[in-house]
Amino acid sequence: MNIKLFANMHNHSTHSDGVYTPRELVEIAKKEGFGAMAVTDHDTVTGNAPLAEACAEAGLDCLFGAEFTSPSDFSKNFYHICGYSFDPTYPEMAEYLRRMSFNETNQTKKLFDRGLEIGYLHDITWQDVLDDNPGVSWICNEPVFRSLKKRGLAKDTDYPEFFAKVYGPYRATVPNVYPFLPADELIDLVRRAGGFMVLAHPHGQLCDLKKLCERGLRGVEVWHSMLTADERREALTAAGVLGLYVSGGEDHEGLCGGQYSRYGNPKESPFYFDPMTLGTTEYFFREMQSGKTVKKDDAERRGIFGELLSLDV
């Protein structure tokens, strides 16, 4: 790919299912070559304050963010949608974030208890997990695994087996206490909280893009690992036609994804991507940073889209 990327807008930290702390993410992103980033932890925002502090110290720009899970209100699809620049203290938003953290933590604890019962987990308590992850409200399998490693009960390469035996196939056996908001309600909630939403890794979902825009969606990811070359081009074309922000990021892949240590040869893992190939350009980051409505007929913007579409995106 010969497109210069600038911002890594989709990342996960130790505040959800990421491997690195927000500060570690900033250090890695800067070394990789990024000039801006966001942490988009799942249904939680507790990693944003330490990220902003670390970015300020490192000279990187950042946006406040979170990745929300949402069923479609008009199709059978289930979306991940990244919200940016919203106020987490907006009352309805604060309550929704509390409910989502309860869902995940409750499910994780029940499966943790099951892991103890079958004997796979041992010499560790749930209180140990809580104590090892201060400030984290959305607790999934990653914080549990960190606690195991801290106590010498596991090493990085044990993670695939740990996930398969304790969490992966068993998550569906513990239903959520609180429902996910459908897309139309979620997009409106983030809007009322002062932010905007970007459809994350829309593999197989680009057919829904126009209807989501009608509901207030403001952007779409293009440079993300889950999209095929044809989908990247289709998403970029749609962003130009519909006047959408263009985003992207490493998510669980690449250097910031943190998965390389779990494989003997990272380049042979499904998480390997060449540095600076997932993210978005500086022009598109500045659009998102401004929060302003895109002028899709702006001559400069049309020229940028034309130039990009002439390349291998």
Side-chain angles (χ1 to χ4, degrees):
M1 188 176 80
N2 53 2
I3 295 170
K4 185 178 180 180
L5 301 184
F6 172 80
N8 186 356
M9 300 304 296
H10 187 155
N11 297 282
H12 300 286
S13 78
T14 50
H15 288 254
S16 67
D17 61 350
V19 174
Y20 298 122
T21 66
R23 183 168 293 277
E24 289 170 334
L25 275 174
V26 171
E27 293 172 356
I28 294 165
K30 184 171 183 177
K31 287 180 181 177
E32 186 172 351
F34 287 108
M37 66 182 306
V39 63
T40 51
D41 283 316
H42 291 283
D43 300 303
T44 185
V45 299
T46 55
N48 277 279
L51 182 94
E53 181 179 343
C55 280
E57 293 174 6
L60 268 65
D61 286 333
C62 68
L63 285 189
F64 185 97
E67 182 178 13
F68 294 95
T69 303
S70 179
S72 176
D73 60 289
F74 60 87
S75 77
K76 295 181 179 179
N77 281 324
F78 223 86
Y79 311 117
H80 281 188
I81 315 179
C82 290
Y84 296 97
S85 303
F86 61 90
D87 179 3
T89 68
Y90 180 73
E92 290 179 58
M93 174 60 74
E95 175 59 15
Y96 187 64
L97 290 169
R98 183 195 70 79
R99 293 182 176 189
M100 295 301 100
S101 285
F102 179 88
N103 276 348
E104 187 69 19
T105 304
N106 176 64
Q107 186 185 72
T108 300
K109 183 183 185 302
K110 288 184 181 300
L111 295 179
F112 176 90
D113 291 342
R114 174 192 165 277
L116 292 173
E117 290 171 5
I118 65 174
Y120 186 82
L121 298 179
H122 54 85
D123 299 315
I124 187 171
T125 68
W126 182 249
Q127 190 60 48
D128 289 334
V129 176
L130 297 179
D131 292 344
D132 292 343
N133 294 278
V136 179
S137 62
W138 194 95
I139 296 180
C140 65
N141 39 275
E142 286 285 357
V144 175
F145 190 69
R146 281 196 295 277
S147 286
L148 293 175
K149 288 204 306 177
K150 179 179 179 180
R151 285 161 177 74
L153 299 170
K155 56 185 182 300
D156 279 335
T157 51
D158 294 329
Y159 183 81
E161 179 186 74
F162 156 79
F163 182 75
K165 289 193 173 182
V166 183
Y167 287 103
Y170 304 102
R171 286 261 178 210
T173 67
V174 185
N176 285 332
V177 175
Y178 299 106
F180 292 118
L181 280 179
D184 57 341
E185 295 181 30
L186 179 62
I187 292 170
D188 185 59
L189 173 59
V190 171
R191 179 193 61 78
R192 286 185 284 114
F196 60 87
M197 302 207 80
V198 172
L199 184 61
H201 45 71
H203 174 65
Q205 298 179 340
L206 290 170
C207 56
D208 289 354
L209 197 54
K210 186 174 181 181
K211 286 190 175 181
L212 286 170
C213 290
E214 292 170 357
R215 285 152 175 76
L217 186 80
R218 297 276 300 280
V220 62
E221 288 188 344
V222 172
W223 292 285
H224 186 282
S225 66
M226 288 178 62
L227 273 67
T228 66
D230 287 344
E231 285 177 323
R232 288 196 300 273
R233 182 166 291 275
E234 181 182 352
L236 184 61
T237 300
V241 172
L242 297 171
L244 297 175
Y245 295 137
V246 175
S247 190
E250 291 187 332
D251 202 346
H252 292 291
E253 287 74 37
L255 288 168
C256 288
Q259 299 297 316
Y260 290 175
S261 64
R262 295 171 176 174
Y263 294 84
N265 185 349
K267 289 190 175 183
E268 293 180 357
S269 80
F271 299 96
Y272 181 80
F273 280 82
D274 288 335
M276 302 297 291
T277 57
L278 302 173
T280 194
T281 69
E282 183 168 9
Y283 178 89
F284 291 132
F285 169 75
R286 299 301 177 197
E287 280 192 331
M288 293 176 66
Q289 186 181 45
S290 76
K292 296 179 180 178
T293 300
V294 168
K295 295 181 180 179
K296 62 181 181 180
D297 292 326
D298 177 79
E300 180 185 7
R301 192 173 202 266
R302 290 174 62 182
I304 288 171
F305 274 87
E307 181 179 354
L308 287 175
L309 289 168
S310 72
L311 303 172
D312 176 17
V313 299

